[in-house]
Amino acid sequence: MRFEAPRSAYVHIPFCAAKCGYCDFNSFAGMLHLAPRYTDALCRQVSSAAGASPGLDTVYFGGGTPTLLPADALARVLGELRRTFGLADGAEVTLEANPESASYEKLAAAREAGFNRVSIGVQSFDGGQLASLGRVHTREQAVAAFSAARRAGFQNISLDLMFGLPGQTLSDLHGTLASAIDLGPEHLSAYSLTIEEGTPLFERVRAGEVTPPDDDLAADMYQAVRQTLTRAGYEHYEISNYALPSMRCRHNEAYWRNGSYLGFGAGAAQYVAGERLTWEGDPVAFTGQIESDGRARAAFSERLEGRALLGETAMLALRTSGGLDLRRLSLDFGEDVEAVFSRPIRRFSQAGLIGVDDGRVTLTAAGQLLANEVLAEFLA
Amino acid sequence: MPQSQDHIRNFCIIAHIDHGKSTLADRILELTHAVSGREHRDQMLDTMDLERERGITIKMTAVRLAYEASDGQTYTLNLIDTPGHVDFSYEVSRSLNACEGAVLVVDAAQGVEAQTLANVSLAMSANLEIIPVINKIDMPAAEPDRVKDEIENVLAIDASDAILASAREGVGVQDVLEHIVHQIPPPSGSPSAPLRALIFDSHFDQYLGVVAYVRIVDGSLKRGDRIRMMASGKEFEVSAVGVFLPEMTEAEGLSAGEVGYVVASMKEVGDARVGDTITLARRGASEPLPGYKLAKPMVSCGMYPMVSEDYPDLREALEKLQLNDAALSWQPETSAALGFGFRCGFLGLLHMDIVQERLEREFGLGIIATAPGVVYRVYKTDGEMIEVDNPAKLPATTLIEKIEEPMVDATVIVPDEYLGGVLDLCQDRRGTFAHMEYSGVTRVIVHYRLPLAEILMDFYDQLKSRTRGYASFDYEMSGYLESSVVKLDIQLNGSPVDALSFITHRDRAYTRGKLMTERLKEILPRQMFEIRIQAAIGHKIIAAETVRALRKNVIAKCYGGDITRKRKLLEKQKEGKKRMKQIGSVEVPQEAFLSVLKLGE
């Protein structure tokens, strides 16, 4: 298996105004004082990776809340990426933004610096649900952030939505979907809320203070999202992602292709030359490491090969509407992939969870809802 | 060195659980200096950790003590410990037979309880001199006068001379020893008669083999003697005899009236069965001591390793346990649902619990135990009678003439305000009222005949909850009675799950079937298809539930390219499935078996 050189880069900004009750991601509230040193550290980490990429096709600033950084800091890090690796013509450069920190001024400056896609973490257009999720923004701020992004010149805007929220009904969800469609974003991500152990939400559910929708309602919601968004002209191109024609998120597509990507920042994941690693997650420790000797430490790394790598590649590909290309994969891996996967393919096509058409395996609508059941069986 | 027989006193201590038997034994050991302060651990006689934790005595021990009495003479006292629980009543009766007297401990606040009654009746039938001790008199709730009345009225023992003691505080312990010396008769056997020694316990030692605990009734025994077990007929050469001080200490010989141990290259506990009589191979006794019987399992269950690779380890563990526990029986069996395992027979529920716990604790094995059942006697139309300990072995109904189930005589002692609850419970459990009498002013002794199977099903828990813990309970086996029982099968999508089937009384079948299906519905995880859960008697479905198909199981997002995390989540899920038992197309988590099998009614 030969590994392509990375043409994507992910930059992690771990700061948040407040930690949301459901979030178990590598993000921290009350640490913004570290931002200047952290920005310096990011730039140093980027420049020291010179030569790792022949030029970037996609860049993604995620968080945390990247828009909490001053615009010039965002511009500096992006500039460092451009200087170190070069940005391809038409590169997709995404900035994740939360409504409360996405002012017109900041967005305009970001657009000016070279960001051309913005992904706004709206989650819901229902004030009550936003509050119960522990989000710090309001419905009005979400709408304002969207129009600010448009005015700042972003022609590729994505909205993040969540469903399956505690107390949410199908009609609540339809309200949020209608509001989102009304704004006319090019791209929508709709995530089913996962209640992660260790989060305040998990504790509240356990204590019986809030009740998440049962699986049946969550499944109905998933289908409602799919139906409503596809009717509105969005293509359902990955389990949780919808886009207008030709507006798919190319950065995420690189992940699903199991392609290589660089990762920068505390807790960022990277996949280069067959090695997956996750950088030190604690922003203070991460910054300290760069400051002391210019090198971040990996908190975790692994190298997958053979069947394990094939399984992972299948797991990712099956999430997309393009599915698993058996011929292509057989070439890449130098073995008959259809034979390797014959058992799960037979089992799940009989169960109606996957379809096989012209050498491509894709999840059916029912299969998407049971994706874990299916994907797990493709793993080594 | 042989003791002068009239200076020997052999005694045991009998009591209801928690009335202070072990504490009194500890104080006696201290007073007679059998145990120095340094090596003293609380409850010295209970050697297994489990016993210490549960506060119950499982294996007996016999300790030889030297006591200088107030008459200035030194006596040899043999304290023979007895298990307190009903499951071991045969062992109790054997150890009582090794004694001439019993110290009866009654809690000054609790009074006479069901096990007190049971133990006293065993002691009386062994013709023991009984020394009543009212213990815990330092407790605020102590009512020694009331308890004296109870001892006299309920147990028909003269309590005018009862010792008032607090073993915890050391009060009255000296009195107990004096009473033992003066009230209990010395052993009466003849040192010159042919050897007769009662085996009342044994343990397995990896170097010595079986160590038999004996009471020499007649004659004497020394190293080099060739001995014969009168029930089994097996012969051995004695390699050592000795006494417990409390550690094993070799002696030149043991003679009539003495208590000690015999080592004779015996390989398995079955070579020295409790209750058997040892005599000499040449010029032996003609008549064994009375009362020998083989301990018979009354309760059985299937035991399966949680992971099938542990099967050989489980076998080895059972073999080792059996070395020390002749009452445990087992044979291999196979379950379609649980794989390879063993059908194990026990004296009772506590015995079963103890074995399960020892397997897990001492051998580190994860065990799935199927629902305990009793051993039924099935009379077939061809005239043959078979004992059925496993639902899978029940013959087809057309081949069955009749089935008998084991019965028990149960005794419950309860404050009269809770009497109604006890009678309802016994009635509900298919009991037959025998009689009832007052113990003291406000407590009632209720006697019922009940099917043993009904006691297996959380009877004790129910009793406790209906009497707020004030009832005490004991039972003894009481033969067999014809009964209308059926086999109830549980099916998942039409496939029977043999590990979940059980034999039950016809009147219980519907409620238990319904309960079982409801419980399984709660426990079974939703799967990619619908699961039908059915309870059936033969072809007739008597209860059914449905687990609807799983509709959603999908990870929404992979944050920032953290693909490893997503993959690990799925790997964990896949790993979890491997641990499930596949029954037909249905995946059943092992926890499902565990919680269903623990199901009470």
Side-chain angles (χ1 to χ4, degrees):
Chain A
M1 180 84 203
R2 76 184 167 80
F3 297 97
E4 60 186 36
R7 292 179 180 275
S8 295
Y10 175 81
V11 178
H12 191 64
I13 310 297
F15 309 115
C16 277
K19 184 91 177 167
C20 301
Y22 58 87
C23 174
D24 76 331
F25 198 42
N26 193 44
S27 62
F28 304 86
M31 220 187 244
L32 206 51
H33 57 88
L34 187 69
R37 282 173 55 204
Y38 185 79
T39 306
D40 291 345
L42 273 179
C43 291
R44 245 181 111 177
Q45 191 188 19
V46 168
S47 64
S48 67
S53 166
L56 297 170
D57 284 330
T58 74
V59 173
Y60 197 105
F61 278 50
T65 309
T67 42
L68 274 185
L69 280 192
D72 63 326
L74 294 170
R76 265 186 65 209
V77 179
L78 181 55
E80 198 62 50
L81 284 164
R82 184 185 288 117
R83 196 161 33 253
T84 308
F85 307 112
L87 282 186
D89 282 351
E92 173 193 280
V93 185
T94 303
L95 178 65
E96 255 181 23
N98 278 355
E100 74 280 3
S101 57
S103 65
Y104 169 77
E105 290 72 22
K106 188 166 282 179
L107 289 169
R111 182 73 193 85
E112 181 67 23
F115 290 93
N116 56 22
R117 183 174 183 275
V118 64
S119 170
I120 305 175
V122 170
Q123 317 312 353
S124 168
F125 283 99
D126 181 312
Q129 256 133 36
L130 286 170
S132 87
L133 282 175
R135 299 291 295 194
V136 289
H137 69 267
T138 61
R139 170 194 166 89
E140 289 69 30
Q141 279 177 311
V143 174
F146 186 89
S147 66
R150 275 282 186 258
R151 278 186 287 128
F154 284 97
Q155 289 167 1
N156 188 353
I157 304 179
S158 178
L159 298 183
D160 268 11
L161 302 177
M162 288 178 112
F163 62 90
L165 308 176
Q168 191 180 35
T169 63
L170 264 177
S171 97
D172 295 341
L173 175 64
H174 279 296
T176 282
L177 290 172
S179 301
I181 293 168
D182 265 357
L183 293 176
E186 283 68 33
H187 186 281
L188 281 155
S189 299
Y191 299 114
S192 171
L193 174 66
T194 310
I195 295 171
E196 303 279 2
E197 219 168 310
T199 60
L201 182 61
F202 181 85
E203 296 308 323
R204 291 179 62 202
V205 169
R206 192 158 63 176
E209 292 169 30
V210 293
T211 312
D214 63 28
D215 280 358
D216 289 317
L217 180 54
D220 290 342
M221 288 181 171
Y222 179 88
Q223 277 163 350
V225 171
R226 179 181 158 91
Q227 212 168 53
T228 307
L229 293 183
T230 50
R231 270 191 200 146
Y234 293 90
E235 182 199 4
H236 187 198
Y237 74 103
E238 194 264 356
I239 285 173
S240 305
N241 286 280
Y242 298 82
L244 292 180
S246 80
M247 300 307 280
R248 294 181 180 188
C249 176
R250 284 154 50 198
H251 183 82
N252 283 338
E253 283 193 311
Y255 294 153
W256 298 322
R257 203 170 55 236
N258 215 2
S260 305
Y261 52 93
L262 292 163
F264 300 105
Q270 123 172 340
Y271 181 44
V272 174
E275 185 190 40
R276 286 197 184 288
L277 60 77
T278 308
W279 298 119
E280 165 62 49
D282 176 355
V284 176
F286 170 85
T287 305
Q289 287 168 5
I290 302 261
E291 286 171 349
S292 73
D293 62 2
R295 285 195 322 109
R297 310 290 186 272
F300 166 85
S301 77
E302 67 175 352
R303 185 177 287 279
L304 291 188
E305 283 164 344
R307 178 66 182 87
L309 181 62
L310 176 61
E312 195 186 70
T313 306
M315 166 188 96
L316 292 164
L318 280 168
R319 293 182 65 90
T320 66
S321 57
L324 186 66
D325 184 337
L326 294 169
R327 278 192 292 264
R328 166 80 196 274
L329 230 54
S330 295
L331 284 176
D332 285 353
F333 281 84
E335 63 180 316
D336 182 0
V337 167
E338 190 165 358
V340 175
F341 292 139
S342 62
R343 261 193 71 188
I345 288 177
R346 194 171 54 239
R347 177 171 163 212
F348 293 119
S349 36
Q350 274 167 9
L353 300 183
I354 58 174
V356 187
D357 183 32
D358 192 26
R360 270 182 192 275
V361 184
T362 49
L363 293 177
T364 61
Q368 285 170 358
L369 276 167
L370 294 172
N372 286 0
E373 303 280 331
V374 177
L375 301 187
E377 297 307 314
F378 280 82
L379 290 178
Chain B
M1 177 187 23
Q3 293 288 305
S4 148
Q5 214 167 307
D6 56 0
H7 280 68
I8 297 177
R9 299 291 182 273
N10 296 319
F11 73 102
C12 57
I13 306 176
I14 54 180
H16 188 77
I17 187 166
D18 284 340
H19 280 198
K21 181 176 99 169
S22 300
T23 314
L24 178 61
D26 284 347
R27 294 298 165 269
I28 288 176
L29 261 57
E30 274 171 18
L31 256 183
T32 54
H33 311 293
V35 189
S36 74
R38 198 155 54 85
E39 61 186 325
H40 180 79
R41 294 188 295 175
D42 274 348
Q43 310 197 346
M44 190 65 200
L45 287 185
D46 299 341
T47 47
M48 293 201 297
D49 283 349
L50 210 58
E51 292 181 35
R52 205 175 293 279
E53 267 172 42
R54 292 196 169 200
I56 49 170
T57 309
I58 304 161
K59 292 298 267 191
M60 298 162 282
T61 325
V63 186
R64 177 177 173 134
L65 312 162
Y67 175 63
E68 193 186 324
S70 55
D71 63 10
Q73 304 192 44
T74 299
Y75 292 84
T76 295
L77 309 185
N78 289 307
L79 165 53
I80 294 169
D81 202 15
T82 63
H85 193 272
V86 55
D87 280 3
F88 306 100
S89 64
Y90 176 66
E91 293 189 345
V92 176
S93 78
R94 292 306 86 196
S95 52
L96 295 181
N97 271 293
C99 306
E100 280 74 38
V103 173
L104 167 67
V105 180
V106 184
D107 185 301
Q110 307 290 328
V112 171
E113 299 279 10
Q115 281 169 31
T116 321
L117 204 59
N119 283 320
V120 164
S121 89
L122 287 171
M124 282 179 163
S125 55
N127 285 319
L128 300 193
E129 179 69 32
I130 295 173
I131 299 171
V133 175
I134 299 174
N135 189 29
K136 305 194 188 179
I137 53 158
D138 56 319
M139 302 286 279
E143 292 179 84
D145 290 336
R146 173 180 72 81
V147 174
K148 262 186 197 179
D149 286 347
E150 280 188 10
I151 294 175
E152 299 201 331
N153 295 334
V154 181
L155 306 175
I157 293 169
D158 177 9
S160 55
D161 205 17
I163 300 161
L164 300 183
S166 165
R168 206 174 50 131
E169 305 288 329
V171 176
V173 181
Q174 190 90 35
D175 285 352
V176 172
L177 289 166
E178 287 297 322
H179 276 74
I180 290 169
V181 167
H182 298 297
Q183 228 173 300
I184 296 179
S188 61
S190 160
S192 52
L195 171 70
R196 290 201 299 173
L198 171 70
I199 302 176
F200 61 87
D201 194 11
S202 64
H203 80 259
F204 185 81
D205 180 286
Q206 71 178 113
Y207 303 108
L208 303 175
V210 178
V211 177
Y213 297 24
V214 295
R215 155 72 196 273
I216 311 287
V217 176
D218 292 319
S220 63
L221 180 63
K222 61 181 186 312
R223 184 171 59 217
D225 284 347
R226 189 149 186 87
I227 52 171
R228 186 174 80 240
M229 305 296 169
M230 295 187 76
S232 71
K234 289 185 177 173
E235 293 191 5
F236 302 94
E237 189 176 305
V238 175
S239 52
V241 298
V243 294
F244 299 96
L245 294 176
E247 66 282 355
M248 284 169 65
T249 308
E250 224 178 303
E252 276 176 33
L254 293 172
S255 136
E258 289 191 287
V259 172
Y261 66 85
V262 177
V263 175
S265 313
M266 295 175 282
K267 296 282 187 298
E268 45 190 275
V269 182
D271 289 339
R273 289 199 180 274
V274 170
D276 203 348
T277 302
I278 300 178
T279 191
L280 292 176
R282 295 190 330 123
R283 286 186 292 109
S286 50
E287 284 293 315
L289 296 163
Y292 172 74
K293 60 179 185 187
L294 210 58
K296 267 190 78 164
M298 301 305 296
V299 174
S300 89
C301 75
M303 293 229 202
Y304 292 83
M306 199 81 90
V307 261
S308 54
E309 298 85 75
D310 282 352
Y311 177 78
D313 293 345
L314 178 56
R315 171 187 286 271
E316 205 183 308
L318 284 169
E319 279 168 358
K320 282 191 179 148
L321 284 185
Q322 206 176 25
L323 289 177
N324 254 332
D325 184 353
L328 167 67
S329 64
W330 51 269
Q331 63 197 60
E333 74 171 8
T334 319
S335 150
L338 299 176
F340 291 105
F342 299 94
R343 174 63 42 172
C344 301
F346 309 96
L347 296 173
L349 272 186
L350 179 77
H351 187 208
M352 179 175 88
D353 272 0
I354 288 166
V355 169
Q356 281 183 24
E357 212 166 314
R358 291 186 66 188
L359 286 172
E360 297 190 348
R361 193 179 299 196
E362 292 171 34
F363 298 91
L365 291 165
I367 302 291
I368 297 180
T370 64
V374 300
V375 180
Y376 292 92
R377 286 184 173 169
V378 178
Y379 293 84
K380 301 205 295 185
T381 45
D382 64 4
E384 192 194 357
M385 189 278 279
I386 55 169
E387 297 204 328
V388 172
D389 60 359
N390 179 347
K393 288 196 202 147
L394 194 67
T397 35
T398 50
L399 301 177
I400 298 175
E401 177 76 42
K402 62 168 180 170
I403 300 178
E404 290 180 348
E405 64 177 330
M407 303 295 290
V408 301
D409 286 329
T411 305
V412 179
I413 302 186
V414 64
D416 53 8
E417 54 183 311
Y418 301 114
L419 178 62
V422 172
L423 296 180
D424 287 349
L425 176 63
C426 291
Q427 216 59 43
D428 183 47
R429 296 304 175 93
R430 303 189 281 127
T432 311
F433 176 79
H435 60 279
M436 135 176 124
E437 68 251 6
Y438 265 89
S439 143
V441 185
T442 57
R443 293 208 304 166
V444 186
I445 308 177
V446 188
H447 300 273
Y448 254 89
R449 190 159 191 239
L450 287 157
L452 176 60
E454 295 290 337
I455 291 182
L456 298 189
M457 291 289 290
D458 82 333
F459 180 86
Y460 196 56
D461 289 343
Q462 279 293 325
L463 185 68
K464 276 195 292 191
S465 80
R466 291 189 194 200
T467 62
R468 301 183 172 213
Y470 282 113
S472 67
F473 165 67
D474 205 345
Y475 65 88
E476 58 185 337
M477 296 303 164
S478 166
Y480 280 74
L481 193 66
E482 183 171 351
S483 175
S484 173
V485 299
V486 291
K487 184 176 154 209
L488 191 69
D489 289 314
I490 301 292
Q491 303 173 353
L492 296 180
N493 282 352
S495 308
V497 186
D498 56 1
L500 295 182
S501 56
F502 51 90
I503 298 174
T504 179
H505 191 265
R506 191 174 286 282
D507 296 347
R508 289 263 180 276
Y510 177 74
T511 34
R512 284 194 68 182
K514 191 160 156 41
L515 202 70
M516 201 83 160
T517 51
E518 283 170 0
R519 190 61 187 275
L520 273 168
K521 180 188 163 94
E522 279 169 37
I523 291 166
L524 284 178
R526 292 170 68 177
Q527 302 184 18
M528 287 184 289
F529 41 80
E530 187 176 278
I531 306 171
R532 271 174 301 121
I533 306 166
Q534 295 166 317
I537 300 173
H539 294 295
K540 190 174 166 223
I541 306 295
I542 60 162
E545 292 286 345
T546 303
V547 178
R548 286 184 305 135
L550 174 71
R551 281 191 57 204
K552 178 171 171 292
N553 177 16
V554 51
I555 307 171
K557 186 174 186 178
C558 55
Y559 289 104
D562 192 353
I563 287 156
T564 305
R565 172 170 145 165
K566 174 178 303 234
R567 194 190 71 239
K568 291 204 162 149
L569 225 108
L570 291 180
E571 280 170 352
K572 203 168 134 194
Q573 179 173 326
K574 194 176 177 187
E575 201 50 44
K577 286 201 174 172
K578 273 193 208 151
R579 284 200 307 274
M580 294 206 209
K581 295 281 181 186
Q582 187 91 22
I583 304 212
S585 55
V586 183
E587 283 159 341
V588 183
Q590 299 196 310
E591 303 85 85
F593 287 108
L594 290 178
S595 38
V596 171
L597 295 172
K598 291 218 163 108
L599 185 69
E601 191 160 353

